[in-house]
Amino acid sequence: MSVPFQQSARAHATLAALSAAVDAGYAAHTLQRSPHLTLLNEEWYHGVMKPIMAQWMLLWLEANHVAGLPTEHVLAYISRDNTGLMAHEWDDQTCAAAATETAAAGKTMPGRGTGGWAAACLQASIGLRLEKGLVSPKAMQLLNLCEEWLGTFLPHCLQKVSCCDTHPPLSPPLQSVEPAVYSAANRGGCGHAQGMLVLPPHGGLDAAPLWMWLRRRRRRASPVHALCPPPPTPESPHLPTHPPLLTSL
C-alpha cells in the first residue's frame, strides 16, 4: 500500500471491495485490461465503482482532518448520491432553510422522502454548519475537490488509453515522396498522386503510401502514433504530459 493506511481495517476492506469490483468489471466487459485498466462504461462506474472510491476518499478526508459533518452526509455529498438520506429525519431549521433556498431559486420544494428533498436538505445543512463555524472553509474546499474528482476527473482519466507503450515510435518521421519514388509506385500499379506522404523503411518494411500504412495498422488494431501523448517537456521532464492526467494531478 503506497499510502499510510496500512493499519486501517477499513482501508484494506475498501481495497478488497475495489479489487472485486475491477474483476467483475473485466468479466462484464465494462473494463478492459489491455494496454492497461480502461473504463468502457461510465454508467457502470457511477453505479459500482464510484461508491467504493467514495469510501476511499472518506479515508483521505479524515486524514486531512475534515470534520463537522456526519459520515453519511459526507458520502452523499462527494458521491452525489442522496438515496441514503431519503429516510433521514432533518431538524426544523434545516427544512426551513432548504425551503427558503429552493424558493429563492424559483423552484418548488420536492416532496418528503425523495432524492430531491434529501439533496435540498443536505445543501441547507451544510450551509448552516458553515455559518456556525462547524465546518471550515478549507474542509469545504476539500469536499468539493473530492466531489469533482469522483464525478468528473476520475472517470475521465480512466477512459483514456496510453498507446505509446503498445508499439515502437516511428523513426524516421513521415516524409514527402520524391518523384522517382512516385514513378516506381506508379509502375507497380499504385497510381498515387504526387505529394502524398509515405512511411520510410522501418522494421524491415519497404516504403509504403500513407493510406496503406494506416489500413495495415487498422487491421492490426494498433493505435495511431499521432494520437499518443507527446513526450515529456523540458519544463516537466518527470510528469506525464497527457492533458487528462495533468488535469487530474
Side-chain angles (χ1 to χ4, degrees):
M1 189 181 297
S2 59
V3 289
F5 298 150
Q6 291 86 353
Q7 305 300 322
S8 174
R10 288 169 51 201
H12 287 280
T14 302
L15 291 179
L18 180 60
S19 178
V22 169
D23 291 338
Y26 288 145
H29 304 292
T30 55
L31 296 174
Q32 74 176 26
R33 300 177 184 268
S34 179
H36 51 73
L37 187 148
T38 306
L39 177 64
L40 302 178
N41 189 322
E42 191 169 348
E43 293 182 1
W44 176 89
Y45 165 81
H46 288 288
V48 178
M49 192 173 182
K50 186 168 77 169
I52 302 174
M53 295 303 302
Q55 294 286 343
W56 186 258
M57 296 306 297
L58 181 62
L59 293 171
W60 182 80
L61 289 171
E62 293 174 355
N64 284 273
H65 311 291
V66 174
L69 285 173
T71 300
E72 60 270 19
H73 291 191
V74 173
L75 289 175
Y77 185 82
I78 65 177
S79 63
R80 303 174 185 173
D81 183 9
N82 302 294
T83 55
L85 298 179
M86 291 192 300
H88 185 75
E89 292 294 334
W90 303 93
D91 57 74
D92 295 337
Q93 185 182 11
T94 300
C95 293
T100 302
E101 293 175 2
T102 303
K107 301 179 181 178
T108 303
M109 186 68 178
R112 285 180 175 269
T114 62
W117 177 77
C121 291
L122 177 61
Q123 291 290 344
S125 176
I126 294 175
L128 291 173
R129 290 173 183 271
L130 278 171
E131 293 177 1
K132 296 177 181 179
L134 300 177
V135 178
S136 66
K138 179 181 177 181
M140 201 64 223
Q141 290 175 352
L142 295 179
L143 287 171
N144 289 330
L145 173 63
C146 290
E147 179 192 14
E148 289 296 330
W149 172 259
L150 290 173
T152 304
F153 295 146
L154 182 56
H156 178 73
C157 292
L158 289 177
Q159 294 179 83
K160 298 302 176 181
V161 178
S162 176
C163 56
C164 285
D165 294 334
T166 60
H167 59 82
L170 301 180
S171 178
L174 296 175
Q175 298 176 355
S176 298
V177 182
E178 297 297 333
V181 179
Y182 287 113
S183 300
N186 291 332
R187 287 196 300 270
C190 298
H192 305 299
Q194 189 170 0
M196 181 176 291
L197 298 176
V198 299
L199 179 66
H202 179 72
L205 298 177
D206 294 333
L210 179 60
W211 67 269
M212 185 179 298
W213 172 73
L214 290 175
R215 186 174 64 179
R216 290 174 181 174
R217 298 188 73 85
R218 181 180 61 185
R219 291 179 176 177
R220 297 203 312 266
S222 179
V224 177
H225 182 75
L227 300 181
C228 293
T233 60
E235 293 78 10
S236 56
H238 303 296
L239 292 178
T241 53
H242 201 299
L245 295 183
L246 289 179
T247 301
S248 67
L249 292 176

